[in-house]
């Protein structure tokens, strides 16, 4: 004998659940009654010892299924809670590690530990504060880029990309050609 489990009208309007699948599952579960209700539904019999023992085995299996399901569900819940606790603990440790790293970085002052000027045997010097190397002949180079250094205050930038070094009277063309503005002669063709 099969009966259809009633479905509330709210299930028809609830877009979050699949009411058709829920109804079908309820019908299938009604046909295969298990647990205490299933045990009670199958309590009748012919009164023989064989029938009694057969029903007892079925009932014992039903109780075992109920117990096992409870243990499985409890184990899954405990494992989920343990995983969440581990994630929280890991996040806390990571946050503490980053805070400790930030604190140690603030303890180290950012300053130049080199001498302000380094002198070489050939007469050249390096200014470690401005990163400028001055050779014995007065030519200066930027030690960071390796390019010739020209004081920015003495530079006039042209619209076509050329620039004029007013200190040394050198016009550098966009292609790298350098012209002495006093004599009009090409100083070099490399930048």
């Amino acid at each position: 004998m099969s009966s259809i489990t009633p479905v509330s009208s709210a299930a028809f309007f609830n877009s979050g659940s699949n009411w058709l699948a829920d109804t079908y599952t309820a019908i299938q579960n009604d046909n295969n009654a298990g647990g205490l209700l299933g045990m009670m539904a199958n309590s009748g019999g012919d009164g023989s010892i064989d029938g009694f023992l057969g029903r007892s085995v079925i009932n014992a299996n039903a109780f075992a299924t109920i117990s096992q399901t409870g243990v499985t569900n409890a184990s899954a819940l405990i494992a989920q809670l343990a995983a969440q606790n581990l994630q929280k603990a890991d996040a806390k440790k990571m946050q503490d590690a980053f805070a400790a790293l930030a604190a140690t970085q603030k303890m180290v002052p950012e300053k130049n530990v080199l001498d302000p000027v380094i002198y070489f045997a050939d007469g050249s010097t390096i200014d470690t504060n401005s990163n400028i190397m001055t050779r014995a002949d007065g030519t200066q180079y930027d030690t960071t880029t390796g390019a010739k250094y020209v004081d920015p205050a003495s530079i006039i930038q042209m619209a076509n990309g050329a620039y004029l070094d007013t200190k040394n009277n050198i016009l550098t063309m966009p292609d790298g050609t350098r012209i002495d503005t006093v004599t009009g002669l090409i100083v070099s063709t490399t930048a």
Side-chain angles (χ1 to χ4, degrees):
M1 174 162 111
S2 170
S3 65
I4 297 177
T5 305
V7 178
S8 69
S9 61
F12 288 101
F13 300 105
N14 185 356
S15 63
S17 67
N18 187 348
W19 66 269
L20 186 58
D22 292 343
T23 303
Y24 180 76
T25 302
I27 291 170
Q28 291 299 320
N29 289 341
D30 190 46
N31 289 335
N32 300 321
L36 292 175
L37 294 176
M39 191 170 60
M40 290 171 60
N42 296 326
S43 64
D46 58 4
S48 68
I49 293 177
D50 186 43
F52 172 75
L53 292 176
R55 285 188 304 278
S56 295
V57 168
I58 291 171
N59 293 340
N61 287 338
F63 277 123
T65 301
I66 292 169
S67 296
Q68 184 61 41
T69 301
V71 169
T72 301
N73 291 341
S75 299
L77 178 63
I78 290 169
Q80 181 181 6
L81 292 174
Q84 289 173 352
N85 289 339
L86 284 174
Q87 287 176 345
K88 286 180 185 177
D90 287 346
K92 175 74 172 131
K93 286 180 184 177
M94 191 71 103
Q95 184 180 8
D96 292 345
F98 282 131
L101 177 63
T104 57
Q105 288 176 340
K106 290 178 184 176
M107 292 170 55
V108 177
E110 294 181 18
K111 69 175 190 174
N112 189 352
V113 294
L114 296 173
D115 291 334
V117 178
I118 299 173
Y119 298 94
F120 294 100
D122 66 349
S124 57
T125 61
I126 295 179
D127 181 352
T128 60
N129 292 324
S130 60
N131 295 326
I132 304 295
M133 177 182 176
T134 306
R135 294 183 49 167
D137 64 358
T139 309
Q140 292 184 321
Y141 294 93
D142 183 339
T143 59
T144 307
T145 63
K148 254 189 178 178
Y149 176 77
V150 179
D151 184 14
S154 68
I155 296 292
I156 298 175
Q157 196 72 34
M158 309 291 177
N160 66 353
Y163 60 91
L164 175 64
D165 176 3
T166 58
K167 179 179 176 186
N168 299 315
N169 295 323
I170 302 291
L171 175 66
T172 303
M173 302 302 288
D175 65 355
T177 305
R178 300 177 67 213
I179 301 171
D180 186 335
T181 58
V182 177
T183 64
L185 299 173
I186 294 176
V187 177
S188 77
T189 57
T190 58

